[in-house]
Amino acid sequence: MKIAIPTFATRVSPRFDCAQSVLVVTVDEGEAPERQELLAGNWAPHERINRLLELGVDTVLCGGIDRWSAASLQSAGVTIYGWVTGETEDALSALLRGDLDVEDTGGRGRCACRRFPGDQEPAIGPRGLGQGIAGRGGGRRRRGGGGPPMQ
């Protein structure tokens, strides 16, 4: 099994397409895992997919993933474990133990994140308020008034 994990420092990257590096782990029964760290910051989206396929990756463990990347990988037979958060080693161990399930990862904006020990609660406010720290903005009026009369 060859597993690709987009990383951000020691954690699973929150976005597949924005990861600066990718950890590729080759796991064969009875052997120690072989690891390879690839710098992916300058890879275009299609190049990211092609390089992983050239390496023979058959499993991707990632945070969020866009629809195009997910469809491209899945059409090539790659299994995607999406919406995973936490330390890379914890996520890899959970995958190898069989604690992760394959989900629909078609980039539909879902956020059913899987958390691992040591994760902090996110520092965001309640969902749906959408007003930010300054409250509702004034915006630009589009209907009547608000400007000099047209000549």
Side-chain angles (χ1 to χ4, degrees):
M1 174 188 300
K2 204 167 231 189
I3 306 162
I5 307 172
T7 58
F8 179 75
T10 62
R11 299 179 63 82
V12 176
S13 178
R15 293 212 19 207
F16 172 82
D17 56 332
C18 295
Q20 294 298 306
S21 60
V22 177
L23 175 65
V24 177
V25 181
T26 305
V27 180
D28 292 322
E29 286 187 41
E31 295 183 26
E34 179 185 319
R35 296 165 181 264
Q36 180 181 12
E37 183 94 19
L38 307 171
L39 296 178
N42 295 329
W43 294 355
H46 66 279
E47 187 178 5
R48 186 175 300 259
I49 302 297
N50 290 338
R51 288 202 184 187
L52 293 179
L53 294 177
E54 286 170 5
L55 289 170
V57 168
D58 57 16
T59 305
V60 171
L61 180 66
C62 61
I65 186 168
D66 60 284
R67 286 183 192 204
W68 182 84
S69 296
S72 298
L73 289 167
Q74 288 170 336
S75 70
V78 176
T79 303
I80 301 173
Y81 293 86
W83 302 111
V84 176
T85 63
E87 293 292 323
T88 303
E89 294 304 319
D90 294 338
L92 179 60
S93 296
L95 175 66
L96 296 176
R97 282 192 315 266
D99 291 346
L100 297 182
D101 295 322
V102 177
E103 292 187 5
D104 175 21
T105 55
R108 293 189 177 90
R110 298 176 17 176
C111 190
C113 299
R114 296 183 179 105
R115 296 188 165 279
F116 296 101
D119 277 358
Q120 302 289 324
E121 284 300 313
I124 57 174
R127 263 183 104 84
L129 295 180
Q131 296 179 2
I133 59 172
R136 293 184 63 111
R140 289 177 36 180
R141 292 190 62 153
R142 297 285 182 178
R143 288 186 265 166
M150 294 186 65
Q151 301 279 330

